[in-house]
Amino acid sequence: QPCWREYLTTRIEQNMVVNCTCPISECRARPTTAFIYSIVSSQEIIAKYEKALLRCYVECCSNLTWCTNPQGCDQILLKDGLGYGAACSKCSWISCFNCNFPEAHYPASCSHMSRMTCAKCNHGFCWRCLKPWRPNHKDYYNCSAMVSKAAWQEKRFQDYNERCTFHHHAREFATGLRNSISSIREMPKIRNLTFVLDACKVLEQARKVLAYSCVYSYYNQDTESMDIVKQQTESLELLTNAL
């Protein structure tokens, strides 16, 4: 029994207990949960084992996922088949279920967000003509496109990037404001501030939509639809600033 206890404890601490087998090389039997409970007495180790079982279960279920809040959250979410889902009941974070981006990014599509992270794959391209740098386009100064086009493209990217960054910072301000109000709300003789908290949540959501609208607008080439998007975005931004 002491040998089994040491073996199982080690496997649990190394996060390798779910698929572990009998330590005898010829034996492929796996220890059952009841057997592990009867051998391991440490409540701390048992808690780690139960967390490992939970992780394995979530990873095996295609309709379940963990909350992707980068600040950390252990809530399990039920996928609804959409690119965005309901807010996490624990931390209010809204995750994207279709890609690896940490949060829902409507109206920008998942492909838009992937293109934003293309630097991770070391893809090289020419800012002048936007064609791949290799295998043929190796010399920047031999590019056939006009320099003015490159300058326009770069200026356009900078404009959208600055607007997107501004809305993200403004969203962080709204989050900080909501947290501050939540703390003073607990103080005695403070009137009900629920309406202010609700306003902060709306402000956070609006800033997020405005930020990802910049991404959507940057990649969208449909001039007719972009006129409508521009009008709606300007209206939302005006109302958000007023709020």
Side-chain angles (χ1 to χ4, degrees):
Q1 193 177 57
C3 294
W4 266 107
R5 183 181 297 112
E6 182 177 353
Y7 170 70
L8 292 173
T9 299
T10 301
R11 302 290 288 192
I12 292 173
E13 290 181 337
Q14 294 177 347
N15 292 322
M16 300 172 62
V17 67
V18 176
N19 296 319
C20 78
T21 58
C22 175
I24 299 177
S25 57
E26 294 81 9
C27 181
R28 309 310 300 169
R30 296 183 178 181
T32 64
T33 298
F35 178 75
I36 293 176
Y37 281 151
S38 67
I39 295 295
V40 180
S41 56
S42 171
Q43 292 302 311
E44 181 180 354
I45 300 299
I46 289 297
K48 290 182 179 180
Y49 171 64
E50 291 175 345
K51 286 183 179 180
L53 289 180
L54 181 60
R55 282 197 306 271
C56 180
Y57 177 75
V58 173
E59 291 170 1
C60 290
C61 293
S62 59
N63 64 330
L64 297 179
T65 187
W66 296 100
C67 175
T68 58
N69 190 334
Q71 300 300 321
C73 179
D74 58 0
Q75 190 77 348
I76 299 172
L77 306 179
L78 177 65
K79 296 181 181 180
D80 59 4
L82 301 175
Y84 55 95
C88 173
S89 60
K90 185 174 183 179
C91 68
S92 300
W93 187 262
I94 304 179
S95 305
C96 178
F97 296 152
N98 294 334
C99 70
N100 294 325
F101 198 75
E103 70 172 343
H105 41 72
Y106 180 84
S109 67
C110 293
S111 61
H112 288 159
M113 306 315 297
S114 297
R115 291 172 70 173
M116 286 185 68
T117 57
C118 64
K120 292 184 178 180
C121 67
N122 296 319
H123 172 66
F125 61 95
C126 176
W127 265 111
R128 290 187 177 183
C129 63
L130 301 181
K131 293 180 180 179
W133 194 262
R134 294 183 177 180
N136 298 321
H137 197 318
K138 299 180 181 180
D139 187 356
Y140 180 89
Y141 298 101
N142 289 332
C143 178
S144 59
M146 296 176 60
V147 176
S148 58
K149 181 179 179 180
W152 178 82
Q153 289 281 9
E154 186 170 2
K155 180 64 166 60
R156 182 171 179 268
F157 171 79
Q158 289 176 348
D159 288 344
Y160 277 111
N161 185 56
E162 288 175 1
R163 287 167 55 193
C164 183
T165 302
F166 168 79
H167 289 304
H168 276 304
H169 287 328
R171 178 188 174 193
E172 292 174 358
F173 169 79
T175 302
L177 183 62
R178 176 168 59 86
N179 292 336
S180 298
I181 295 173
S182 296
S183 61
I184 65 173
R185 187 187 181 190
E186 304 300 326
M187 298 174 62
K189 299 181 180 180
I190 297 293
R191 63 178 183 170
N192 194 320
L193 296 175
T194 301
F195 72 101
V196 183
L197 291 174
D198 291 341
C200 288
K201 291 179 181 179
V202 172
L203 190 58
E204 290 177 62
Q205 183 66 17
R207 288 298 183 188
K208 185 174 78 167
V209 171
L210 285 169
Y212 292 124
S213 292
C214 294
V215 180
Y216 175 82
S217 299
Y218 176 75
Y219 286 114
N220 198 316
Q221 302 297 323
D222 188 343
T223 306
E224 183 176 349
S225 66
M226 282 309 302
D227 288 339
I228 300 175
V229 171
K230 184 178 180 181
Q231 293 175 5
Q232 293 177 336
T233 302
E234 290 177 350
S235 177
L236 176 60
E237 188 167 2
L238 182 65
L239 295 173
T240 301
N241 290 337
L243 177 61

